[in-house]
Amino acid sequence: MLSKTIESALNNQIKIEAESSQIYLAMACWAEVKGLEGVANFMYAQSDEEREHMLKLVKFVNERGGHAKISQLKEPNATFNSFKEMFQKLLEHEIFVSESINELVHISLNEKDYATHNFLQWYVAEQIEEEAVARTILDKINLIGDDKGGLYLFDRDIENLTVTTAAADTTE
């Protein structure tokens, strides 16, 4: 059984993950109408991934005797001055999500809910990866500068971007 404190905190995270999916979707739409097909496809895939993160939480809450709540979402920003600004906002959002996950881990330990603590470790590792990807992309954008040829190559290559982090499980 989940305590009411844990259930409430997990339901808040469900909302955050749903909003993350919407943020990525809005970014995909912006990129697509700007002709950045590769960036758009990357963002569409990220949106789907965030929705999967949300569903994983929903199922966990329900399986542990709680009741997952689906709440109203904030409308995401849908316009950006540049693709660099968009990715900067993305990094800021992923840092926010990491802080929220860390707070959930803290609450689970305070509540002595070790099953939830164990479940959340996947999210901790996932956030390390999400932040690393955003930072890598921003590094590449900074290297490109105002070079239109570089932007073209970046847009083409982003769909195949892979980042390996220290938190990744390499024992497979």
Side-chain angles (χ1 to χ4, degrees):
M1 285 290 293
L2 293 173
S3 73
K4 289 300 176 192
T5 301
I6 294 279
E7 183 177 348
S8 176
L10 287 170
N11 274 316
N12 183 59
Q13 192 63 39
I14 287 168
K15 181 178 181 182
I16 290 170
E17 298 294 339
E19 286 176 345
S20 295
S21 179
Q22 295 295 92
I23 287 168
Y24 277 112
L25 186 59
M27 289 176 172
C29 291
W30 181 87
E32 194 164 49
V33 299
K34 296 294 182 185
L36 298 168
E37 183 181 352
V39 171
N41 288 337
F42 173 82
M43 292 297 185
Y44 283 132
Q46 291 299 115
S47 177
D48 288 346
E49 184 178 297
E50 296 300 327
R51 185 172 184 281
E52 289 297 319
H53 297 174
M54 177 202 63
L55 289 174
K56 190 172 180 171
L57 284 163
V58 165
K59 290 177 181 182
F60 180 79
V61 169
N62 291 338
E63 288 170 0
R64 295 282 320 281
H67 184 170
K69 303 278 192 269
I70 308 305
S71 56
Q72 185 173 353
L73 304 178
K74 253 186 341 192
E75 182 178 355
N77 181 28
T79 58
F80 305 93
N81 293 319
S82 67
F83 79 109
K84 181 178 180 178
E85 176 194 345
M86 182 182 71
F87 279 106
Q88 183 60 47
K89 296 285 184 197
L90 175 70
L91 174 59
E92 292 167 9
H93 179 74
E94 290 298 348
I95 291 169
F96 164 76
V97 173
S98 294
E99 290 168 353
S100 180
I101 295 292
N102 289 339
E103 181 59 22
L104 260 174
V105 170
H106 178 74
I107 292 168
S108 72
L109 287 174
N110 282 345
E111 294 281 316
K112 296 183 179 178
D113 184 342
Y114 302 111
T116 298
H117 177 265
N118 186 55
F119 172 77
L120 291 172
Q121 295 312 299
W122 181 87
Y123 286 89
V124 171
E126 180 68 13
Q127 281 311 120
I128 291 169
E129 179 187 328
E130 296 286 355
E131 284 186 39
V133 166
R135 283 187 178 92
T136 298
I137 289 170
L138 282 170
D139 287 346
K140 290 182 183 307
I141 290 169
N142 287 329
L143 285 171
I144 294 167
D146 294 329
D147 178 20
K148 297 293 184 193
L151 174 58
Y152 172 80
L153 294 174
F154 172 81
D155 184 56
R156 185 194 68 192
D157 294 344
I158 190 170
E159 291 180 82
N160 300 317
L161 178 75
T162 57
V163 176
T164 304
T165 65
D169 182 12
T170 59
T171 58
E172 292 180 35

